[in-house]
Amino acid sequence: DLMSDDIIRLYLQANSPEALYETMSKPGIKGYVIEDKDMILGVVILRPNQIGGKVNDLQVRRLHVNFEAINYKKIGTVLLTIAAVDAFLNNIATLITTASMPARGFFEKLGWDGQVIESQYCIEKKGVVLP
């Protein structure tokens, strides 16, 4: 397995409908949702980054696709296209994101160019910090 059960559980918790809608309700955040019959198929959450009062780029803060959905990879592509259209309509030339290693191939296949940034961080789990 690429990820532990704890990491998968925390990911699913962070991407629950309640958590996603709570994140999208924050000031300055934009969110787009694809739903079908009361099931969320995918979500993209965007945040414009400002430098000196001017929007410099549009950050894809979260891209979540329901892996139970048929053609889930196409849903991810549609959501990134929505992010690109949003940026274009707002005269923003650059989209940025931080992606996990398992997601890197998805972004590269769509032509995104990036670099690997090494960092160590801890994930909190019920008051216990995981190494």
Side-chain angles (χ1 to χ4, degrees):
D1 290 335
L2 293 174
M3 290 184 267
S4 74
D5 289 342
D6 283 334
I7 299 298
I8 292 169
R9 186 183 52 72
L10 290 169
Y11 174 84
L12 292 174
Q13 181 181 335
N15 290 290
S16 69
E18 298 80 19
L20 291 169
Y21 285 118
E22 179 185 338
T23 300
M24 287 188 287
S25 70
K26 294 180 180 175
I29 299 291
K30 294 180 179 184
Y32 297 94
V33 180
I34 298 176
E35 292 180 284
D36 183 34
K37 299 176 185 160
D38 298 327
M39 182 170 104
I40 294 177
L41 301 180
V43 175
V44 64
I45 297 175
L46 310 171
R47 182 184 76 186
N49 291 320
Q50 295 187 23
I51 297 176
K54 180 183 176 225
V55 174
N56 198 42
D57 56 55
L58 187 62
Q59 182 179 18
V60 177
R61 295 281 303 175
R62 190 174 300 172
L63 175 68
H64 172 70
V65 175
N66 183 341
F67 294 117
E68 294 176 4
I70 297 171
N71 295 324
Y72 67 86
K73 288 183 180 179
K74 291 180 182 177
I75 293 169
T77 302
V78 168
L79 290 166
L80 282 179
T81 301
I82 290 169
V85 169
D86 185 288
F88 175 78
L89 293 174
N90 289 288
N91 296 314
I92 301 171
T94 306
L95 285 172
I96 64 169
T97 194
T98 303
S100 63
M101 287 304 288
R104 183 176 178 183
F106 169 75
F107 286 97
E108 287 176 344
K109 198 173 192 179
L110 294 174
W112 284 54
D113 185 25
Q115 60 183 341
V116 175
I117 300 171
E118 296 287 336
S119 64
Q120 294 183 0
Y121 58 91
C122 295
I123 297 174
E124 290 186 29
K125 175 186 167 192
K126 295 182 183 175
V128 177
V129 177
L130 299 174

